[in-house]
């Protein structure tokens, strides 16, 4: 009986989708893999990665998911109940697998009966909980309608009644084993004494020498505690029960023939989809306990009046979620920043000192865009953005020993598929480029970077470019560019504030402060060289170093 195979999803309201099985390229650059491991740490047994790897693809899907998540927040008691539902469905799936694998008729009936009972219990739990909750999302309301409709169908009612009837017969099979020292004794109903059942089983049990320290009462729902392999003890017990209750076992064998299957069943998908929301909800609570808030992004069309003509993204108090998760116990707070694309601006070009927070901000914005497209809450105070079909990133890479290619060639190889317009699939993308062409001369790097930004702007993309080349942030000579600069403490340039503000590029790299920090500036080096000369009694080396 294939119950309710019609498509329904709590994640994809517009129909079936092809899931991505491989981690997206941008995951590594945005440090999303570490975040995903934290989200799924408690739910490794569920097939959830494919959901996080697959971008939904429409604004409607984003709001569909956000509304479901709001229902969970508003009715947080549903979290525990939905967990029980998922556990029940998982047990049903496991028993159904045992039913498919075993050849024994009695085992087939037993496992199928348990699969059906777990299945029905899961659906009942889900229906009752949705009725109790104050649900307003289209997803949960549709799910409740499906469950209500199923409970009125004649076939489903008859199926439920048959399951409970056969299980009630099975529930009459009662047998108690008392295990003490080297003896195993069996106690049954009084009406079985006359048949000599107890004597026969006692003789069998006494043949076993099992050292047990104390009597252990045990209640087992399934007559086969071991999934597929039955021990001689279990075989003997089942044989006794079969002889004393032949009608029960006849019904169990008949039950194994009912046309029930879990293949292509929507509730197995719902089991995983619900955990998708629960896993992120629990992750959010942990971040919240560490002092970091997540909020719902608002989606607008590209030319929405609320954002201004040709604008596309505005985020207040954005922070790097991976860094916040890493520091959640240390007490070290992550600095938050604001970004906004002005009218006609398509690329934020971020310059400033090394280790000043440029890459961290770019990564944080990328995380926000990804979570916005996933229909989840983002690491910021507020966010308004247009819809993007793709996310593309290119962060600084190391030279590959395996390929033998230089760093510049590695960067160009990775840029090539991003820039090729084979299927037009980079249109309406969000692009993050971080410190490209650092091995080229400044002039060549600037020319190549300009060409790359112009390409993405011409194809309708919005993006961020992190660079040490000040000329790329020249708003007057670079159409569509908006400059942002990582800040340092005005009184102590060695101290990075990690604030990134919209302003003209300063033309300062503050490399001297790093050199002084590690005692590598001119004065410090010459003093050390002179000290070496004093020790050797030869001033020639020190004199040459100072003159140089």
């Amino acid at each position: 009986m294939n119950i309710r195979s019609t498509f329904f999803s709590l994640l994809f309201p517009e129909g079936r989708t092809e899931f991505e099985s491989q981690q997206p390229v941008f995951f590594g650059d945005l440090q999303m893999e570490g975040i995903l491991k934290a989200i799924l740490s408690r739910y490794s047994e569920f097939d959830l990665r494919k959901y996080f790897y697959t971008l939904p693809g429409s604004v409607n899907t984003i709001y569909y998911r956000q509304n479901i998540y709001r229902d969970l927040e508003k009715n947080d008691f549903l979290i525990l109940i939905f967990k029980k539902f998922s556990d029940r469905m998982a047990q049903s799936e496991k028993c159904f697998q045992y039913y498919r694998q075993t050849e024994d008729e009695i085992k087939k009936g037993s496992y199928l009966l348990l699969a059906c009972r777990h299945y029905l219990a899961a659906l009942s739990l889900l229906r009752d909980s949705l009725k109790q909750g104050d649900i307003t999302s289209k997803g949960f309301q549709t799910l409740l309608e499906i469950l209500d409709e199923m409970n009125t169908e004649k076939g489903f009612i008859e199926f439920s009644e048959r399951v409970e009837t056969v299980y009630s017969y099975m529930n009459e099979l009662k047998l108690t084993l008392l295990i003490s020292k080297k003896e195993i004794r069996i106690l049954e109903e009084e009406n079985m004494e006359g048949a000599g059942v107890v004597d026969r089983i006692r003789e069998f049990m006494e043949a076993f020498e099992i050292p047990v320290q104390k009597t252990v009462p045990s209640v087992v729902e399934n007559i086969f505690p071991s999934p597929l392999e039955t021990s001689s003890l279990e075989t003997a017990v089942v044989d006794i029960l079969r002889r004393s209750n032949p009608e029960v076992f006849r019904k169990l064998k008949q039950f194994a023939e009912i046309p029930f299957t879990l293949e292509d069943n929507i509730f197995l998908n719902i089991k995983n989809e619900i955990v998708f929301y629960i896993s992120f909800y629990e992750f959010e609570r942990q971040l919240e306990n560490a002092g970091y808030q997540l909020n719902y992004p608002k989606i607008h069309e590209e030319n929405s009046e609320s954002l201004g003509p040709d604008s596309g993204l505005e985020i207040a108090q954005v922070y790097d979620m991976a860094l916040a998760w890493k520091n959640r116990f240390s007490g070290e707070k992550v600095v938050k920043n604001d970004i906004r694309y002005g009218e006609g601006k398509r690329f934020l070009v971020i310059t400033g000192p090394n280790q000043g927070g440029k890459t961290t901000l770019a990564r944080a914005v990328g995380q926000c865009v990804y979570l916005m497209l996933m229909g989840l809450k983002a690491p910021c105070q507020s966010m308004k953005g247009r819809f993007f079909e793709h996310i593309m990133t290119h962060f600084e890479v190391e030279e590959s020993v395996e390929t033998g290619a230089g760093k510049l060639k590695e960067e160009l190889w990775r840029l090539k598929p991003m820039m090729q317009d084979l299927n037009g699939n980079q249109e309406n993308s969000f692009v993050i480029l971080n410190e490209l062409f650092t091995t080229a001369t400044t002039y060549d790097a600037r020319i190549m970077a300009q060409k790359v930004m112009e390409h993405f702007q011409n194809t309708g993309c919005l993006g961020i470019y992190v660079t040490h080349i000040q000329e790329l942030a020249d708003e007057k000579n670079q159409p569509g560019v908006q400059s942002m600069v990582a800040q340092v403490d005005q009184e102590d340039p060695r101290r990075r504030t990690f604030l990134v503000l919209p302003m003209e590029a300063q033309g300062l790299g503050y490399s001297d402060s790093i050199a002084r920090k590690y005692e590598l500036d001119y004065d410090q080096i010459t003093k050390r060289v002179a000290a070496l000369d004093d020790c050797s009694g030869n001033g020639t080396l020190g004199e040459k170093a100072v003159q140089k």
Side-chain angles (χ1 to χ4, degrees):
M1 186 175 187
N2 191 349
I3 299 177
R4 204 69 204 186
S5 60
T6 305
F7 178 80
F8 171 77
S9 172
L10 290 173
L11 293 178
F12 300 96
E14 298 173 349
R16 296 181 185 272
T17 188
E18 294 293 328
F19 293 111
E20 296 290 341
S21 59
Q22 298 297 319
Q23 180 187 113
V25 175
F26 63 81
F27 254 52
D29 289 339
L30 301 183
Q31 295 188 358
M32 281 305 307
E33 179 57 26
I35 295 172
L36 185 56
K37 285 182 179 178
I39 293 173
L40 302 182
S41 61
R42 303 177 183 177
Y43 301 99
S44 57
E45 70 274 20
F46 291 89
D47 184 18
L48 301 180
R49 282 186 172 271
K50 63 183 180 182
Y51 299 141
F52 286 94
Y53 289 169
T54 306
L55 292 178
S58 74
V59 176
N60 178 54
T61 301
I62 292 173
Y63 281 126
Y64 179 82
R65 293 183 178 190
Q66 285 187 358
N67 289 334
I68 289 175
Y69 198 83
R70 284 189 172 95
D71 269 350
L72 283 178
E73 288 186 308
K74 183 172 54 177
N75 303 278
D76 58 357
F77 72 92
L78 291 176
I79 299 293
L80 179 59
I81 297 176
F82 285 168
K83 281 185 177 182
K84 292 181 179 179
F85 160 77
S86 294
D87 288 342
R88 280 283 195 174
M89 285 301 301
Q91 292 177 49
S92 176
E93 191 175 15
K94 183 182 295 184
C95 289
F96 187 74
Q97 290 172 353
Y98 292 153
Y99 155 76
R100 297 288 295 270
Q101 294 172 19
T102 186
E103 298 296 330
D104 184 273
E105 291 180 333
I106 302 302
K107 282 188 175 183
K108 288 183 78 71
S110 176
Y111 286 128
L112 184 60
L113 178 62
L114 288 177
C116 293
R117 285 203 85 239
H118 286 309
Y119 179 77
L120 292 172
L123 300 193
S124 176
L125 188 64
L126 185 61
R127 180 170 178 252
D128 291 344
S129 63
L130 289 174
K131 284 183 175 295
Q132 295 172 21
D134 178 20
I135 58 173
T136 57
S137 66
K138 181 180 178 182
F140 279 154
Q141 288 181 340
T142 303
L143 178 57
L144 181 56
E145 290 172 3
I146 291 173
L147 290 165
D148 284 341
E149 180 185 337
M150 285 179 59
N151 275 268
T152 62
E153 292 175 354
K154 181 179 178 181
F156 184 80
I157 294 173
E158 292 176 349
F159 167 73
S160 302
E161 291 175 348
R162 184 172 182 182
V163 169
E164 289 307 312
T165 298
V166 176
Y167 186 78
S168 67
Y169 283 116
M170 285 287 294
N171 207 32
E172 294 176 1
L173 299 177
K174 296 181 179 179
L175 180 145
T176 302
L177 295 179
L178 297 180
I179 305 175
S180 179
K181 294 184 179 179
K182 295 184 178 181
E183 181 183 35
I184 301 178
R185 293 190 298 156
I186 183 169
L187 303 178
E188 296 190 79
E189 300 290 338
E190 290 183 1
N191 60 1
M192 297 178 65
E193 290 283 355
V197 174
V198 175
D199 293 334
R200 292 199 305 273
I201 194 65
R202 182 181 293 114
E203 292 175 2
F204 178 83
M205 299 303 176
E206 288 175 351
F208 289 86
E209 293 194 8
I210 305 175
V212 179
Q213 298 301 322
K214 59 181 179 179
T215 301
V216 181
S218 176
V219 178
V220 182
E221 184 181 16
N222 183 12
I223 60 175
F224 301 107
S226 177
L228 296 175
E229 297 182 4
T230 307
S231 69
S232 56
L233 173 59
E234 293 167 342
T235 301
V237 170
V238 172
D239 184 58
I240 295 300
L241 293 174
R242 190 206 305 258
R243 294 185 184 188
S244 58
N245 300 271
E247 181 63 17
V248 175
F249 283 83
R250 184 181 68 81
K251 291 183 179 297
L252 196 59
K253 289 172 62 175
Q254 291 177 345
F255 188 83
E257 303 301 323
I258 70 168
F260 174 84
T261 180
L262 286 177
E263 294 178 356
D264 198 29
N265 186 284
I266 65 168
F267 295 105
L268 284 184
N269 293 329
I270 290 171
K271 171 200 70 175
N272 290 333
E273 291 177 347
I274 283 179
V275 177
F276 168 87
Y277 291 105
I278 291 175
S279 63
F280 191 82
Y281 177 88
E282 292 180 342
F283 173 76
E284 182 190 358
R285 298 285 79 76
Q286 293 181 74
L287 270 182
E288 192 176 68
N289 291 337
Y292 296 97
Q293 300 292 322
L294 302 180
N295 286 286
Y296 291 101
K298 296 181 180 179
I299 316 297
H300 297 283
E301 296 301 324
E302 182 176 354
N303 294 322
S304 171
E305 293 181 0
S306 64
L307 289 177
D310 206 29
S311 183
L313 194 60
E314 180 179 341
I315 311 178
Q317 297 294 283
V318 58
Y319 63 91
D320 182 353
M321 191 158 63
L323 190 57
W325 179 257
K326 178 182 177 182
N327 294 347
R328 68 190 185 281
F329 298 129
S330 68
E332 185 177 350
K333 292 300 180 181
V334 177
V335 175
K336 302 175 182 179
N337 282 285
D338 300 335
I339 67 111
R340 185 182 188 279
Y341 287 74
E343 183 176 337
K345 305 298 184 181
R346 289 189 171 274
F347 256 85
L348 299 181
V349 177
I350 306 177
T351 58
N354 291 332
Q355 302 177 354
K358 303 188 299 294
T359 300
T360 300
L361 175 58
R363 185 166 54 234
V365 173
Q367 292 168 3
C368 281
V369 171
Y370 166 72
L371 292 170
M372 175 186 75
L373 297 182
M374 291 299 293
L376 297 170
K377 299 169 78 171
C380 59
Q381 185 180 84
S382 65
M383 177 176 180
K384 292 187 289 186
R386 82 183 205 207
F387 174 75
F388 299 102
E389 294 181 7
H390 306 279
I391 299 174
M392 294 188 290
T393 62
H394 190 318
F395 280 45
E396 191 174 14
V397 297
E398 299 295 332
E399 292 186 20
S400 173
V401 176
E402 295 179 359
T403 64
K407 186 174 181 179
L408 179 59
K409 182 176 281 190
E410 291 280 355
E411 290 177 336
L412 293 174
W413 277 347
R414 187 173 171 186
L415 269 175
K416 183 179 179 180
M418 293 173 60
M419 299 181 67
Q420 280 183 326
D421 190 13
L422 297 177
N423 301 310
N425 62 357
Q426 85 271 37
E427 294 183 8
N428 195 25
S429 297
F430 188 76
V431 183
I432 304 178
L433 307 171
N434 182 56
E435 295 287 6
L436 299 185
F437 315 130
T438 55
T439 57
T441 65
T442 301
Y443 175 80
D444 290 338
R446 178 172 62 82
I447 297 301
M448 288 189 288
Q450 286 175 337
K451 295 293 184 182
V452 170
M453 281 197 295
E454 287 173 4
H455 170 82
F456 286 120
Q457 289 186 68
N458 292 337
T459 52
C461 298
L462 211 65
I464 295 177
Y465 198 113
V466 175
T467 181
H468 63 284
I469 303 175
Q470 310 292 325
E471 292 85 353
L472 294 175
D474 187 350
E475 297 182 3
K476 295 179 181 178
N477 299 316
Q478 302 291 333
V481 163
Q482 179 171 316
S483 174
M484 297 190 74
V485 180
Q487 304 296 300
V488 297
D489 191 311
Q490 295 301 313
E491 296 182 359
D492 182 6
R494 293 175 299 177
R495 180 176 175 271
R496 275 51 172 159
T497 66
F498 305 110
L499 289 173
V500 184
L501 303 178
M503 59 190 302
E504 291 185 7
Q506 302 299 295
L508 299 173
Y510 296 98
S511 57
D512 56 336
S513 64
I514 296 179
R516 285 196 300 272
K517 177 180 179 181
Y518 295 101
E519 298 184 354
L520 294 173
D521 67 0
Y522 177 79
D523 292 336
Q524 291 165 328
I525 291 176
T526 53
K527 285 181 180 179
R528 286 205 299 275
V529 173
L532 290 173
D533 291 343
D534 291 341
C535 292
S536 64
N538 185 352
T540 304
L541 181 60
E543 291 172 0
K544 289 182 178 180
V546 172
Q547 291 172 3
K548 186 177 179 180

